[in-house]
Amino acid sequence: MTRLSSAAGLDRAKAEAAVKTILAFLDKEAPADAVKELVDAMPGADKALEDGRAEAAANGGYAGFGAMAAYHALTAVGLSGGEVQVVTKELLAHSRATVGEETTGRIVGAVPGLEAFV
């Protein structure tokens, strides 16, 4: 959370909302084993994913397709377009650093349009 807050200039609440939203979206769209590996490598990510799933279910899921659905979900929790880009790039950079290029590539490859953020 601190890395995202610093990189995007977000307060902690926005950073937490972003992480929950992104993890829940990836959980729905990307290979389950790759997402699990990422979640296991991030302290507090299990709870963030659980909360993100519950919030997505309560809000009717994600509108749209691919990365645009995630973009809309992130703007719905209060991020600007620029903040969405920074947060996504930072989360993917963290993914590459913790679970490696191959796992991150599998996640990115599963979501149409996500490669634009790499």
Side-chain angles (χ1 to χ4, degrees), residues 3-20:
R3 178 178 175 163
L4 290 178
S5 293
S6 297
L10 300 176
D11 63 34
R12 185 157 181 85
K14 263 190 177 179
E16 287 176 4
V19 169
K20 289 190 292 188

Side-chain angles (χ1 to χ4, degrees), residues 11-79:
D11 63 34
R12 185 157 181 85
K14 263 190 177 179
E16 287 176 4
V19 169
K20 289 190 292 188
T21 301
I22 291 170
L23 289 178
F25 177 78
L26 292 178
D27 182 59
K28 179 181 174 289
E29 298 292 327
D33 61 324
V35 174
K36 180 176 178 1
E37 189 176 341
L38 176 60
V39 168
D40 289 347
M42 294 174 62
D46 283 333
K47 174 76 169 117
L49 175 56
E50 181 183 318
D51 291 349
R53 284 177 182 150
E55 289 173 16
N59 294 324
Y62 298 97
F65 178 74
M68 287 308 296
Y71 178 86
H72 292 301
L74 289 165
T75 58
V77 297
L79 276 69

